[in-house]
Amino acid sequence: MTALATPRNSNSKSPPEPAAKRPRGRPRKTQGERDDGNRRHELLTAAARLFRQQGFDATSTRDIAAAVGMHSGSPFYHFKSKDALLYAVMEEGMHTAIARQTKALQGDDAATGKPGAPLMQMRRLIRSHFDTLLGPGNDFVPVMLYEHRSLSAWQLTSLAKLQTEYEAAWTPVLEALHASGHLRAPVKFSRLLILGALNWSVQWFDRKKDASLDDLTDAAMALFLKEC
Amino acid sequence: MTALATPRNSNSKSPPEPAAKRPRGRPRKTQGERDDGNRRHELLTAAARLFRQQGFDATSTRDIAAAVGMHSGSPFYHFKSKDALLYAVMEEGMHTAIARQTKALQGDDAATGKPGAPLMQMRRLIRSHFDTLLGPGNDFVPVMLYEHRSLSAWQLTSLAKLQTEYEAAWTPVLEALHASGHLRAPVKFSRLLILGALNWSVQWFDRKKDASLDDLTDAAMALFLKEC
DNA sequence: CCTACCGATCGGTAGG
DNA sequence: CCTACCGATCGGTAGG
């Protein structure tokens, strides 16, 4: 018995009652609402956090189940495999990141074509990227960056499309900056090196100690771009 | 002074008997030579390659043993645990990297103090770093960069010292470049962002397809530094 | 360094 | 979503 060694966070035994009752743990947001999607998303959120903290291989499906108050086999009711769970985390991360980036650029629509527009767009791209990587609770994209080695071939291919879509927004901005003399290095290498510099911040940035994301964005702009 | 060209660190036992009989696999380089250290180092090299390719958790000690023609339990004759093997890989990587960097800078001794010296030093630091990350067979430091999550607390502390030593060489160069106006961003953020940009190249650089390490170094210099 | 082995853990499943 | 379970794998070890 207690095959789980009860890593349960809060409650005792869950009554073996079907619908009507929920095992326990986090309170339901709404009462009569169909919440299957919520449970599934709770798994996603917990998995993202654990994958980021401990790594994919070092995180067991039991860890994830326990984090949301499920029993060991239950995550497989929502996801057909641990791999599928990882992929779902990454896919959601990319969709969120693309949406955030698109929204950040849309504020510049009116300014497009004006002299300072590419600089402003660049700033918003960088700031949006830092938000995706370092914002509170934003574990999904960091997991994607550091755990894609665990994906299958077709999963990698599928995610590569989203990454291409994400990075595509950078190219015209970089080209404009190159043409105006703000950027000296070749556009392709610039994109790779800049995104690398930003991505690496996951390894060292501490929201508690270090500066704000705006300060970080200022530093990145000053590092990569010339004044003219 | 870092007399660390030949790292020999954690548990070194004295094997009972040399030679006489070899299981099979790779041929011995020299016949009558004491090769205990060689066997140990073969394990290190194979482990570094596998850890880099598959990740630490996804690589079993059996994989490593098979890669050097040993049986499953034999790596534990040379290393007391899988963790110790990982740590030895990282330690050797850092010692090699520090030695390479020191040597790269020494060629500039005569130029120190001259106007263009910091630029030349910066170039050599970047080029040496790319060599450490992307040079053929240089798997040790990439493993350190991407697998340090698997280390224990004291191992992390010990490696942090080597990393600090390595990065210390960059600070005076960056300060000189900042003073001369070649670098606009704050020195601390510049160091973190620049090293991040370089470290990330492990993820995308392909020696077969992409440009040479010299071209890559040119691009990095052009991206980070102003002309003046 | 091999042989033979163990205890623990893990992803996943059948059936309800 | 729980109960009860399985086959596989893994790090590590005793003894030679």
Side-chain angles (χ1 to χ4, degrees), chain A residues 23 48 88 111 125 133 138 145 164 181 187 195 212 218 224:
Chain A
L125 283 176
L133 297 177
N138 293 354
L145 292 179
T164 300
V187 168
L195 281 172
S212 70
D218 288 340
F224 300 135

Side-chain angles (χ1 to χ4, degrees), chain B residues 39 70 74 77-78:
Chain B
R39 290 303 274 169
M70 286 181 186
S74 300
Y77 169 76
H78 295 279

Side-chain angles (χ1 to χ4, degrees), chain B residues 148-163:
Chain B
H148 64 263
R149 199 170 31 190
S150 298
L151 291 180
S152 68
W154 76 263
Q155 286 173 323
L156 272 179
T157 304
S158 179
L159 270 181
K161 291 178 186 171
L162 291 175
Q163 280 185 273

Side-chain angles (χ1 to χ4, degrees), chain A residues 115-133:
Chain A
L119 275 177
M120 193 186 311
Q121 286 173 334
M122 184 66 178
R123 196 177 202 292
R124 297 199 182 190
L125 283 176
I126 292 177
R127 179 52 220 260
S128 168
H129 197 77
F130 278 135
D131 215 25
T132 292
L133 297 177

